[in-house]
Amino acid sequence: MESDEDRAPGRDRIDALAELFAHGPVAVLTGAGISTDSGIPDYRGEGSPPRSPMNIAQFMGDEAYRRRFWAGARIGSLRTGGIAPNAGHLALARLEAAGRTEGVITQNVDGLHRRAGSRTVVELHGHGGTIRCTACERRWSRDAVLVRFDDLNPGFAERHADAEIAPDGDAIVRSTDGVLVPGCPECGGILRPDVVYFGETVPPAVFAAGEDLVHEAHALLLVGTSLAVNTGIRLVHRAERRGLPLAVINRGPTAVDQRPSVRVRIDGGASETLAAVAAALD
Ligand SMILES: [Zn+2]
C-alpha cells in the first residue's frame, strides 16, 4: 500500500482530516464518486460514459417507454447482482458506529450505505431499489416487482438474457412488443422507481432530515461529489451559516474548492482516503 504514492493521500492530509473529527461528530455528504469502486459509473466524472438519464415525464406518459424500462430492468438485474459496498462505504459505517459521524446524506440511489451498515442515511434522491405507486403511494421492493414482471411475462428474461447492458446497469432490450408492465397490486396505478430524477425536486421532509444532520454536526465532509447538484450546495450553505468547517474528498475540482470554509481538500479516491481516516481514528 505504501508504494502506491499516486493513489494514497499524504499522511499530513489524512491527519488534518482526522483532526476535523476530533471536535465532535461530522456530517457526511456523498455523491457518485463513492460508488465508482463498486462498479457504478459516475455520469459526471471524467471519462464517464454518455449520459442516458431516465426521462420521467416520458415514463409516466408513454406505455411503450415503461415496457422498455421494465424489460431493461429485468434483464439488467441478472447481471448486476455482484455490486456490493466498497471500502469507502464500510469506513463510513465504522465511523458512525464509533460515534464519529452524525450519519450520511447521499445523492446516490444505489442503497450501498445501508448495505454497508450505516444506520442514519438520508437519501436525497431516493432509492432505486424501492418502487412506489404514483396513485396510492404504497411502496414495494424492486425485486418484488420484478417477480411480478416474470409472472406477467413468462420466459421473457430467459429469452433476452444476452441483451446488451447500458452504462446505468439496465439492459437494452430491442423488442418489447407484447411485454406486460406490472401495475400496483393494490390499486392498479402506475409504478415508478422511488427516485428523484432530473427536473424533479427533493421532497421537503427529506431535505429537512439532511439539514438536521448538518445542524447537529461539528463539520461537514463532502465525499465523491463535485457539488454540481443544487441540493448539495444548499446543505453547504446551511453548514457555512452555522460556521462549520468543510472538508472535501473528490477526484477533480468541486464547486466549493475556493471557499474559505474548506479546511481540508483531498484530490483522491473515496475508498482509500476514508479507509485511511477510519484507521487513523481507531
Ligand atoms: Zn397503488
Side-chain angles (χ1 to χ4, degrees), residues 42-60:
D42 176 358
Y43 291 108
R44 294 174 195 275
E46 272 180 58
S48 53
R51 206 167 153 76
S52 57
M54 164 83 137
N55 184 327
I56 192 65
Q58 212 181 342
F59 178 94
M60 290 303 296

Side-chain angles (χ1 to χ4, degrees), residues 75 78 152-163 173 175 177-179:
I75 305 303
L78 301 171
L152 291 169
N153 302 281
F156 179 87
E158 291 77 5
R159 284 198 303 278
H160 296 86
D162 57 352
V173 183
S175 171
D177 292 348
V179 164

Side-chain angles (χ1 to χ4, degrees), residues 215-229:
H215 287 176
E216 287 156 14
H218 290 70
L220 176 60
L221 171 61
L222 309 166
V223 182
T225 172
S226 60
L227 271 301
V229 181

Side-chain angles (χ1 to χ4, degrees), residues 8-27:
R11 189 72 241 171
D12 55 333
R13 312 260 79 195
I14 295 298
D15 289 345
L17 200 47
E19 171 68 22
L20 209 68
F21 284 82
H23 305 287
V26 167

